[in-house]
Amino acid sequence: MISEDVSSITENDLCFYSRKSKFTGKGESIGNQIEMGKDYASRNFGAMLKDENVYEDEGYSGGTTDRPKFKLLMENIKKRKYKILIVYRLDRISRNIIDFADIIETLNKYNVAFISIRESFDTTTPMGRAMMYIASVFAQLERETAAERIRDNMIELAKTGRWLGGITPQGFISEPITRIDHNGKERHQFKLVPDPNELELIKLLFEKFTELNSLTKLESFCVQNNITTRNNIDFSRFALRSILTNPVYATADKEVYSYLVNNGFEIYADERDFDGMHGLMVYNKTSQEKGHSNKIRDNAEWIVAIGAHPGVISGKQWVKVQNLIQQNKSKSYRKVKNSESLLSGLLRCSNCGSYMRPRISRTNKDGVTVFYYMCELKEKSKKTRCDIKNVHGNTLDSLVIEEIKKLASSDSELSTRIGKEKLNIEISKNSISNEIELLENNIKENELSISNLVNTLSQAQNTGATKYIIAQIDEMDKQTASFRERLAELRERSQNANLMDEGFDVMKDILSTFSQIIDTLDIPEKRNMIRSLVEKITWDGQFIDLIMFGANAKKKETAL
């Protein structure tokens, strides 16, 4: 946490978070929490708590972190805007111990101290850090206990061979089944049922891979023969590998059992259950983390059981395919790599939309590597699905650099366009700023009016005026919520406008130096500089379209 003396803390270093599940105007109201936060900051740091550093979530539960102002606060913490976060009470920031520990870990990572006024929880002190550590230990224990419970449940589910839901593997559909449990109650489950048409394709893929012994060749075979996924998308090598290595297609026989045992899989079935008739079910195959793509777990973590569906691929063939894939791992797919090309990842075929990749042709008498850009789909389909003309890579790279140099000149249409865009952004920012100021004033006025009405209500109890005062409070509360929603929208628009403005400034800076330095850079540096300016380049067999970054990017069409 922060190591500097508290006397060095300024008003810009402090932020405050407040939350209440519903508006009452009494007790620990948002307003009361903020006042206590300001008082604490003044007494302990000699600094004012700025209004713009106060984050308020009214009407949101502490059982989840899905709160708009809380999210904005954490984003700003990750941008290192603050050094100390203050709350009135621990449960204002979270009522969930795991969420709380995750929040503390984030604060630690970005060197932000955490203070809870009510509990005297202050991580700028040794006792506060000790409390934080204890909370983290309990949270980790809860995570591990939950993980054990989940795994135990998976093991029990595995014994049933049922399908747990989600997208079914290609070749199967899910079908509901009903059973009576030991208490005589109906239980509804699902099992996989073969889809004959799709299973024919699965069998073909296994056969062709055994014949071709290459995922790349199998991918080309599928592209050339218009063989697609159930969503009518071309099979990639990765999608094909996922099918070929999925135990769900294997017939549970003795060969498969031996393969699983020898390769460290955790099997929850007896050897005698591998009867040569049923398929396999696998649980706990992937690890799923929020914000990250799924990752395949190690074989030893998989839970393998006998499925309720019939096997599709014989054990002998399935094991053979696994061994071939394992042998080919060391021969991973090798594209022709060209360290000279500048436009790989930017250049697309306008005919089919595929990327165009560099392919080396030869080395000329001057020792220069001559290469061409070729459409990926053209290459994979052997010209059956795209036959666009290749483009000379050395010539195209040079031409793109020359075109950007022209666009970089101060009197170019692009420079004029950037100037106009910056002017429009400035006008928009001023308009947004004025509306934000107006809304903030309206919110303050409403909050003051509501506070006054609450005081009036307490004095007018048991009178006929009560219902009218409550109706006024409700109406003003709804209006304030509407103002806050609009305010959040405007602040987001303001932030986006600032980012766009900064983006155009960066583009202007790069353009102003492009002509002077591009020819002095090495290949990776040239590549990065071009990518900072160019969004996309397309080739139609005769012309290229050079599309620059920006909402109204200049589109330059050039014959080659």
mmCIF file of all heavy atoms in Angstrom, residues 448-490:
data_model
loop_
_atom_site.group_PDB
_atom_site.id
_atom_site.type_symbol
_atom_site.label_atom_id
_atom_site.label_comp_id
_atom_site.label_asym_id
_atom_site.label_seq_id
_atom_site.Cartn_x
_atom_site.Cartn_y
_atom_site.Cartn_z
ATOM 1 N N LEU A 448 -31.581 18.769 -2.530
ATOM 2 C CA LEU A 448 -31.903 19.731 -1.463
ATOM 3 C C LEU A 448 -33.414 19.774 -1.231
ATOM 4 O O LEU A 448 -33.883 19.774 -0.082
ATOM 5 C CB LEU A 448 -31.389 21.124 -1.840
ATOM 6 C CG LEU A 448 -31.637 22.244 -0.812
ATOM 7 C CD1 LEU A 448 -30.973 21.911 0.518
ATOM 8 C CD2 LEU A 448 -31.129 23.582 -1.346
ATOM 9 N N SER A 449 -34.175 19.781 -2.328
ATOM 10 C CA SER A 449 -35.639 19.806 -2.211
ATOM 11 C C SER A 449 -36.150 18.540 -1.532
ATOM 12 O O SER A 449 -37.049 18.592 -0.679
ATOM 13 C CB SER A 449 -36.287 19.943 -3.596
ATOM 14 O OG SER A 449 -35.913 21.162 -4.207
ATOM 15 N N ILE A 450 -35.577 17.394 -1.913
ATOM 16 C CA ILE A 450 -35.995 16.124 -1.301
ATOM 17 C C ILE A 450 -35.683 16.131 0.197
ATOM 18 O O ILE A 450 -36.495 15.700 1.021
ATOM 19 C CB ILE A 450 -35.295 14.933 -1.997
ATOM 20 C CG1 ILE A 450 -35.891 14.722 -3.402
ATOM 21 C CG2 ILE A 450 -35.463 13.650 -1.181
ATOM 22 C CD1 ILE A 450 -35.156 13.683 -4.227
ATOM 23 N N SER A 451 -34.501 16.628 0.541
ATOM 24 C CA SER A 451 -34.112 16.706 1.949
ATOM 25 C C SER A 451 -35.093 17.574 2.740
ATOM 26 O O SER A 451 -35.517 17.223 3.850
ATOM 27 C CB SER A 451 -32.690 17.266 2.063
ATOM 28 O OG SER A 451 -32.296 17.370 3.412
ATOM 29 N N ASN A 452 -35.470 18.685 2.153
ATOM 30 C CA ASN A 452 -36.431 19.578 2.813
ATOM 31 C C ASN A 452 -37.799 18.910 2.955
ATOM 32 O O ASN A 452 -38.482 19.042 3.976
ATOM 33 C CB ASN A 452 -36.575 20.886 2.037
ATOM 34 C CG ASN A 452 -35.311 21.736 2.107
ATOM 35 O OD1 ASN A 452 -34.533 21.608 3.057
ATOM 36 N ND2 ASN A 452 -35.094 22.577 1.108
ATOM 37 N N LEU A 453 -38.197 18.183 1.893
ATOM 38 C CA LEU A 453 -39.486 17.493 1.944
ATOM 39 C C LEU A 453 -39.494 16.383 2.989
ATOM 40 O O LEU A 453 -40.508 16.144 3.650
ATOM 41 C CB LEU A 453 -39.822 16.919 0.559
ATOM 42 C CG LEU A 453 -40.278 17.927 -0.498
ATOM 43 C CD1 LEU A 453 -40.311 17.282 -1.876
ATOM 44 C CD2 LEU A 453 -41.664 18.488 -0.145
ATOM 45 N N VAL A 454 -38.360 15.693 3.134
ATOM 46 C CA VAL A 454 -38.258 14.636 4.150
ATOM 47 C C VAL A 454 -38.426 15.241 5.543
ATOM 48 O O VAL A 454 -39.106 14.683 6.418
ATOM 49 C CB VAL A 454 -36.910 13.888 4.027
ATOM 50 C CG1 VAL A 454 -36.681 12.997 5.245
ATOM 51 C CG2 VAL A 454 -36.877 13.049 2.761
ATOM 52 N N ASN A 455 -37.800 16.411 5.753
ATOM 53 C CA ASN A 455 -37.951 17.099 7.041
ATOM 54 C C ASN A 455 -39.407 17.506 7.270
ATOM 55 O O ASN A 455 -39.953 17.361 8.368
ATOM 56 C CB ASN A 455 -37.059 18.337 7.095
ATOM 57 C CG ASN A 455 -35.589 17.970 7.167
ATOM 58 O OD1 ASN A 455 -35.246 16.898 7.665
ATOM 59 N ND2 ASN A 455 -34.725 18.845 6.692
ATOM 60 N N THR A 456 -40.036 17.999 6.220
ATOM 61 C CA THR A 456 -41.451 18.393 6.314
ATOM 62 C C THR A 456 -42.326 17.180 6.625
ATOM 63 O O THR A 456 -43.268 17.262 7.423
ATOM 64 C CB THR A 456 -41.906 19.041 4.995
ATOM 65 O OG1 THR A 456 -41.056 20.142 4.692
ATOM 66 C CG2 THR A 456 -43.355 19.514 5.088
ATOM 67 N N LEU A 457 -41.981 16.058 5.977
ATOM 68 C CA LEU A 457 -42.755 14.827 6.170
ATOM 69 C C LEU A 457 -42.721 14.379 7.629
ATOM 70 O O LEU A 457 -43.739 13.925 8.177
ATOM 71 C CB LEU A 457 -42.202 13.727 5.255
ATOM 72 C CG LEU A 457 -42.917 12.375 5.292
ATOM 73 C CD1 LEU A 457 -44.368 12.536 4.799
ATOM 74 C CD2 LEU A 457 -42.186 11.363 4.412
ATOM 75 N N SER A 458 -41.538 14.489 8.255
ATOM 76 C CA SER A 458 -41.420 14.056 9.653
ATOM 77 C C SER A 458 -42.293 14.917 10.582
ATOM 78 O O SER A 458 -42.718 14.458 11.640
ATOM 79 C CB SER A 458 -39.954 14.127 10.089
ATOM 80 O OG SER A 458 -39.485 15.470 10.075
ATOM 81 N N GLN A 459 -42.557 16.163 10.184
ATOM 82 C CA GLN A 459 -43.368 17.056 11.013
ATOM 83 C C GLN A 459 -44.860 16.944 10.677
ATOM 84 O O GLN A 459 -45.710 17.374 11.455
ATOM 85 C CB GLN A 459 -42.922 18.507 10.815
ATOM 86 C CG GLN A 459 -41.477 18.762 11.246
ATOM 87 C CD GLN A 459 -40.963 20.116 10.779
ATOM 88 O OE1 GLN A 459 -41.736 20.951 10.326
ATOM 89 N NE2 GLN A 459 -39.671 20.321 10.898
ATOM 90 N N ALA A 460 -45.135 16.373 9.492
ATOM 91 C CA ALA A 460 -46.535 16.335 9.037
ATOM 92 C C ALA A 460 -47.138 14.942 9.126
ATOM 93 O O ALA A 460 -48.100 14.636 8.425
ATOM 94 C CB ALA A 460 -46.610 16.850 7.600
ATOM 95 N N GLN A 461 -46.548 14.082 9.957
ATOM 96 C CA GLN A 461 -47.064 12.716 10.067
ATOM 97 C C GLN A 461 -48.500 12.729 10.590
ATOM 98 O O GLN A 461 -48.883 13.574 11.402
ATOM 99 C CB GLN A 461 -46.168 11.891 10.994
ATOM 100 C CG GLN A 461 -44.822 11.567 10.363
ATOM 101 C CD GLN A 461 -43.962 10.701 11.268
ATOM 102 O OE1 GLN A 461 -44.362 10.373 12.376
ATOM 103 N NE2 GLN A 461 -42.797 10.354 10.790
ATOM 104 N N ASN A 462 -49.261 11.735 10.107
ATOM 105 C CA ASN A 462 -50.665 11.560 10.515
ATOM 106 C C ASN A 462 -51.546 12.740 10.081
ATOM 107 O O ASN A 462 -52.557 13.056 10.725
ATOM 108 C CB ASN A 462 -50.778 11.365 12.032
ATOM 109 C CG ASN A 462 -49.979 10.174 12.510
ATOM 110 O OD1 ASN A 462 -49.954 9.133 11.852
ATOM 111 N ND2 ASN A 462 -49.320 10.326 13.648
ATOM 112 N N THR A 463 -51.112 13.453 9.015
ATOM 113 C CA THR A 463 -51.947 14.515 8.463
ATOM 114 C C THR A 463 -52.270 14.191 7.019
ATOM 115 O O THR A 463 -51.643 13.325 6.397
ATOM 116 C CB THR A 463 -51.246 15.890 8.522
ATOM 117 O OG1 THR A 463 -50.171 15.889 7.573
ATOM 118 C CG2 THR A 463 -50.707 16.182 9.917
ATOM 119 N N GLY A 464 -53.225 14.892 6.480
ATOM 120 C CA GLY A 464 -53.626 14.647 5.095
ATOM 121 C C GLY A 464 -52.566 15.015 4.089
ATOM 122 O O GLY A 464 -52.615 14.596 2.925
ATOM 123 N N ALA A 465 -51.581 15.811 4.514
ATOM 124 C CA ALA A 465 -50.534 16.261 3.581
ATOM 125 C C ALA A 465 -49.500 15.182 3.293
ATOM 126 O O ALA A 465 -48.731 15.282 2.331
ATOM 127 C CB ALA A 465 -49.837 17.496 4.150
ATOM 128 N N THR A 466 -49.460 14.132 4.127
ATOM 129 C CA THR A 466 -48.406 13.108 4.026
ATOM 130 C C THR A 466 -48.328 12.498 2.639
ATOM 131 O O THR A 466 -47.251 12.400 2.033
ATOM 132 C CB THR A 466 -48.648 11.996 5.065
ATOM 133 O OG1 THR A 466 -48.641 12.566 6.362
ATOM 134 C CG2 THR A 466 -47.567 10.932 4.972
ATOM 135 N N LYS A 467 -49.466 12.071 2.090
ATOM 136 C CA LYS A 467 -49.433 11.378 0.800
ATOM 137 C C LYS A 467 -48.960 12.297 -0.323
ATOM 138 O O LYS A 467 -48.313 11.849 -1.280
ATOM 139 C CB LYS A 467 -50.796 10.786 0.463
ATOM 140 C CG LYS A 467 -51.915 11.801 0.299
ATOM 141 C CD LYS A 467 -53.223 11.074 -0.028
ATOM 142 C CE LYS A 467 -54.375 12.080 -0.226
ATOM 143 N NZ LYS A 467 -55.642 11.399 -0.536
ATOM 144 N N TYR A 468 -49.272 13.616 -0.219
ATOM 145 C CA TYR A 468 -48.837 14.551 -1.259
ATOM 146 C C TYR A 468 -47.322 14.780 -1.180
ATOM 147 O O TYR A 468 -46.635 14.884 -2.204
ATOM 148 C CB TYR A 468 -49.587 15.883 -1.106
ATOM 149 C CG TYR A 468 -51.068 15.745 -1.274
ATOM 150 C CD1 TYR A 468 -51.912 15.825 -0.171
ATOM 151 C CD2 TYR A 468 -51.628 15.520 -2.532
ATOM 152 C CE1 TYR A 468 -53.279 15.685 -0.322
ATOM 153 C CE2 TYR A 468 -52.996 15.376 -2.692
ATOM 154 C CZ TYR A 468 -53.826 15.456 -1.582
ATOM 155 O OH TYR A 468 -55.168 15.316 -1.735
ATOM 156 N N ILE A 469 -46.804 14.828 0.041
ATOM 157 C CA ILE A 469 -45.344 15.019 0.217
ATOM 158 C C ILE A 469 -44.601 13.803 -0.311
ATOM 159 O O ILE A 469 -43.596 13.930 -1.020
ATOM 160 C CB ILE A 469 -45.014 15.264 1.704
ATOM 161 C CG1 ILE A 469 -45.666 16.573 2.178
ATOM 162 C CG2 ILE A 469 -43.506 15.306 1.909
ATOM 163 C CD1 ILE A 469 -45.551 16.809 3.682
ATOM 164 N N ILE A 470 -45.106 12.598 0.036
ATOM 165 C CA ILE A 470 -44.465 11.358 -0.443
ATOM 166 C C ILE A 470 -44.498 11.300 -1.965
ATOM 167 O O ILE A 470 -43.511 10.903 -2.620
ATOM 168 C CB ILE A 470 -45.160 10.129 0.169
ATOM 169 C CG1 ILE A 470 -44.882 10.067 1.674
ATOM 170 C CG2 ILE A 470 -44.671 8.845 -0.512
ATOM 171 C CD1 ILE A 470 -45.644 8.978 2.407
ATOM 172 N N ALA A 471 -45.639 11.712 -2.552
ATOM 173 C CA ALA A 471 -45.748 11.703 -4.019
ATOM 174 C C ALA A 471 -44.729 12.653 -4.637
ATOM 175 O O ALA A 471 -44.100 12.346 -5.668
ATOM 176 C CB ALA A 471 -47.162 12.101 -4.435
ATOM 177 N N GLN A 472 -44.548 13.850 -3.990
ATOM 178 C CA GLN A 472 -43.541 14.799 -4.483
ATOM 179 C C GLN A 472 -42.133 14.210 -4.405
ATOM 180 O O GLN A 472 -41.331 14.360 -5.323
ATOM 181 C CB GLN A 472 -43.605 16.084 -3.643
ATOM 182 C CG GLN A 472 -44.660 17.079 -4.094
ATOM 183 C CD GLN A 472 -44.557 18.371 -3.308
ATOM 184 O OE1 GLN A 472 -44.973 18.434 -2.160
ATOM 185 N NE2 GLN A 472 -43.994 19.392 -3.928
ATOM 186 N N ILE A 473 -41.843 13.564 -3.279
ATOM 187 C CA ILE A 473 -40.511 12.946 -3.106
ATOM 188 C C ILE A 473 -40.276 11.892 -4.172
ATOM 189 O O ILE A 473 -39.210 11.841 -4.796
ATOM 190 C CB ILE A 473 -40.383 12.334 -1.692
ATOM 191 C CG1 ILE A 473 -40.340 13.439 -0.630
ATOM 192 C CG2 ILE A 473 -39.126 11.467 -1.592
ATOM 193 C CD1 ILE A 473 -40.370 12.929 0.801
ATOM 194 N N ASP A 474 -41.282 11.034 -4.394
ATOM 195 C CA ASP A 474 -41.142 9.979 -5.403
ATOM 196 C C ASP A 474 -40.907 10.569 -6.786
ATOM 197 O O ASP A 474 -40.052 10.098 -7.546
ATOM 198 C CB ASP A 474 -42.412 9.107 -5.435
ATOM 199 C CG ASP A 474 -42.480 8.168 -4.238
ATOM 200 O OD1 ASP A 474 -41.431 7.970 -3.597
ATOM 201 O OD2 ASP A 474 -43.579 7.654 -3.951
ATOM 202 N N GLU A 475 -41.674 11.621 -7.128
ATOM 203 C CA GLU A 475 -41.546 12.245 -8.439
ATOM 204 C C GLU A 475 -40.157 12.852 -8.624
ATOM 205 O O GLU A 475 -39.507 12.689 -9.668
ATOM 206 C CB GLU A 475 -42.629 13.312 -8.601
ATOM 207 C CG GLU A 475 -42.629 13.995 -9.967
ATOM 208 C CD GLU A 475 -42.894 13.022 -11.101
ATOM 209 O OE1 GLU A 475 -43.638 12.049 -10.891
ATOM 210 O OE2 GLU A 475 -42.333 13.241 -12.195
ATOM 211 N N MET A 476 -39.679 13.557 -7.595
ATOM 212 C CA MET A 476 -38.365 14.198 -7.684
ATOM 213 C C MET A 476 -37.243 13.152 -7.684
ATOM 214 O O MET A 476 -36.207 13.328 -8.334
ATOM 215 C CB MET A 476 -38.168 15.175 -6.522
ATOM 216 C CG MET A 476 -39.145 16.345 -6.549
ATOM 217 S SD MET A 476 -38.707 17.660 -5.412
ATOM 218 C CE MET A 476 -37.400 18.458 -6.308
ATOM 219 N N ASP A 477 -37.472 12.045 -6.970
ATOM 220 C CA ASP A 477 -36.472 10.966 -6.953
ATOM 221 C C ASP A 477 -36.348 10.331 -8.337
ATOM 222 O O ASP A 477 -35.244 10.053 -8.818
ATOM 223 C CB ASP A 477 -36.875 9.917 -5.913
ATOM 224 C CG ASP A 477 -35.762 8.910 -5.656
ATOM 225 O OD1 ASP A 477 -34.591 9.325 -5.603
ATOM 226 O OD2 ASP A 477 -36.063 7.715 -5.525
ATOM 227 N N LYS A 478 -37.504 10.112 -8.993
ATOM 228 C CA LYS A 478 -37.488 9.566 -10.360
ATOM 229 C C LYS A 478 -36.790 10.530 -11.318
ATOM 230 O O LYS A 478 -36.009 10.126 -12.185
ATOM 231 C CB LYS A 478 -38.915 9.307 -10.843
ATOM 232 C CG LYS A 478 -39.584 8.120 -10.183
ATOM 233 C CD LYS A 478 -41.025 7.975 -10.680
ATOM 234 C CE LYS A 478 -41.743 6.845 -9.952
ATOM 235 N NZ LYS A 478 -43.174 6.740 -10.358
ATOM 236 N N GLN A 479 -37.096 11.823 -11.153
ATOM 237 C CA GLN A 479 -36.479 12.835 -12.010
ATOM 238 C C GLN A 479 -34.958 12.861 -11.797
ATOM 239 O O GLN A 479 -34.188 12.942 -12.761
ATOM 240 C CB GLN A 479 -37.076 14.203 -11.699
ATOM 241 C CG GLN A 479 -36.648 15.293 -12.682
ATOM 242 C CD GLN A 479 -37.231 16.644 -12.317
ATOM 243 O OE1 GLN A 479 -37.081 17.096 -11.184
ATOM 244 N NE2 GLN A 479 -37.903 17.286 -13.272
ATOM 245 N N THR A 480 -34.541 12.766 -10.531
ATOM 246 C CA THR A 480 -33.111 12.765 -10.223
ATOM 247 C C THR A 480 -32.434 11.538 -10.829
ATOM 248 O O THR A 480 -31.326 11.632 -11.371
ATOM 249 C CB THR A 480 -32.892 12.782 -8.690
ATOM 250 O OG1 THR A 480 -33.525 13.938 -8.154
ATOM 251 C CG2 THR A 480 -31.410 12.818 -8.352
ATOM 252 N N ALA A 481 -33.090 10.381 -10.743
ATOM 253 C CA ALA A 481 -32.528 9.158 -11.338
ATOM 254 C C ALA A 481 -32.356 9.327 -12.840
ATOM 255 O O ALA A 481 -31.352 8.894 -13.422
ATOM 256 C CB ALA A 481 -33.436 7.961 -11.036
ATOM 257 N N SER A 482 -33.350 9.986 -13.478
ATOM 258 C CA SER A 482 -33.266 10.249 -14.918
ATOM 259 C C SER A 482 -32.098 11.183 -15.219
ATOM 260 O O SER A 482 -31.350 10.980 -16.191
ATOM 261 C CB SER A 482 -34.576 10.856 -15.403
ATOM 262 O OG SER A 482 -34.491 11.246 -16.752
ATOM 263 N N PHE A 483 -31.932 12.213 -14.378
ATOM 264 C CA PHE A 483 -30.808 13.140 -14.546
ATOM 265 C C PHE A 483 -29.478 12.391 -14.428
ATOM 266 O O PHE A 483 -28.550 12.626 -15.201
ATOM 267 C CB PHE A 483 -30.862 14.243 -13.482
ATOM 268 C CG PHE A 483 -31.942 15.270 -13.704
ATOM 269 C CD1 PHE A 483 -32.425 16.044 -12.648
ATOM 270 C CD2 PHE A 483 -32.481 15.481 -14.973
ATOM 271 C CE1 PHE A 483 -33.412 16.996 -12.840
ATOM 272 C CE2 PHE A 483 -33.473 16.430 -15.177
ATOM 273 C CZ PHE A 483 -33.938 17.181 -14.113
ATOM 274 N N ARG A 484 -29.390 11.506 -13.421
ATOM 275 C CA ARG A 484 -28.134 10.762 -13.206
ATOM 276 C C ARG A 484 -27.812 9.849 -14.386
ATOM 277 O O ARG A 484 -26.660 9.715 -14.788
ATOM 278 C CB ARG A 484 -28.226 9.928 -11.925
ATOM 279 C CG ARG A 484 -28.227 10.743 -10.642
ATOM 280 C CD ARG A 484 -28.191 9.826 -9.427
ATOM 281 N NE ARG A 484 -28.417 10.553 -8.200
ATOM 282 C CZ ARG A 484 -27.501 11.292 -7.590
ATOM 283 N NH1 ARG A 484 -26.291 11.390 -8.108
ATOM 284 N NH2 ARG A 484 -27.778 11.925 -6.457
ATOM 285 N N GLU A 485 -28.857 9.230 -14.925
ATOM 286 C CA GLU A 485 -28.659 8.344 -16.074
ATOM 287 C C GLU A 485 -28.126 9.138 -17.270
ATOM 288 O O GLU A 485 -27.187 8.718 -17.952
ATOM 289 C CB GLU A 485 -29.988 7.665 -16.420
ATOM 290 C CG GLU A 485 -29.854 6.582 -17.482
ATOM 291 C CD GLU A 485 -31.177 5.864 -17.739
ATOM 292 O OE1 GLU A 485 -32.020 5.807 -16.808
ATOM 293 O OE2 GLU A 485 -31.366 5.384 -18.864
ATOM 294 N N ARG A 486 -28.740 10.299 -17.499
ATOM 295 C CA ARG A 486 -28.285 11.160 -18.597
ATOM 296 C C ARG A 486 -26.873 11.669 -18.335
ATOM 297 O O ARG A 486 -26.043 11.752 -19.242
ATOM 298 C CB ARG A 486 -29.256 12.334 -18.745
ATOM 299 C CG ARG A 486 -28.862 13.382 -19.785
ATOM 300 C CD ARG A 486 -28.788 12.820 -21.175
ATOM 301 N NE ARG A 486 -28.473 13.847 -22.157
ATOM 302 C CZ ARG A 486 -28.124 13.611 -23.401
ATOM 303 N NH1 ARG A 486 -28.025 12.357 -23.835
ATOM 304 N NH2 ARG A 486 -27.853 14.601 -24.239
ATOM 305 N N LEU A 487 -26.578 11.984 -17.071
ATOM 306 C CA LEU A 487 -25.258 12.483 -16.697
ATOM 307 C C LEU A 487 -24.188 11.428 -16.971
ATOM 308 O O LEU A 487 -23.110 11.746 -17.500
ATOM 309 C CB LEU A 487 -25.264 12.869 -15.211
ATOM 310 C CG LEU A 487 -24.036 13.609 -14.678
ATOM 311 C CD1 LEU A 487 -23.831 14.926 -15.419
ATOM 312 C CD2 LEU A 487 -24.198 13.877 -13.181
ATOM 313 N N ALA A 488 -24.490 10.181 -16.604
ATOM 314 C CA ALA A 488 -23.526 9.092 -16.851
ATOM 315 C C ALA A 488 -23.276 8.929 -18.349
ATOM 316 O O ALA A 488 -22.136 8.723 -18.793
ATOM 317 C CB ALA A 488 -24.055 7.793 -16.253
ATOM 318 N N GLU A 489 -24.357 9.040 -19.140
ATOM 319 C CA GLU A 489 -24.235 8.924 -20.598
ATOM 320 C C GLU A 489 -23.358 10.049 -21.157
ATOM 321 O O GLU A 489 -22.482 9.814 -21.995
ATOM 322 C CB GLU A 489 -25.630 8.974 -21.216
ATOM 323 C CG GLU A 489 -25.642 8.914 -22.734
ATOM 324 C CD GLU A 489 -27.030 9.202 -23.323
ATOM 325 O OE1 GLU A 489 -28.035 8.908 -22.629
ATOM 326 O OE2 GLU A 489 -27.099 9.739 -24.432
ATOM 327 N N LEU A 490 -23.587 11.274 -20.666
ATOM 328 C CA LEU A 490 -22.820 12.418 -21.157
ATOM 329 C C LEU A 490 -21.349 12.327 -20.763
ATOM 330 O O LEU A 490 -20.464 12.687 -21.542
ATOM 331 C CB LEU A 490 -23.422 13.717 -20.618
ATOM 332 C CG LEU A 490 -24.764 14.148 -21.221
ATOM 333 C CD1 LEU A 490 -25.329 15.328 -20.465
ATOM 334 C CD2 LEU A 490 -24.599 14.499 -22.706
#
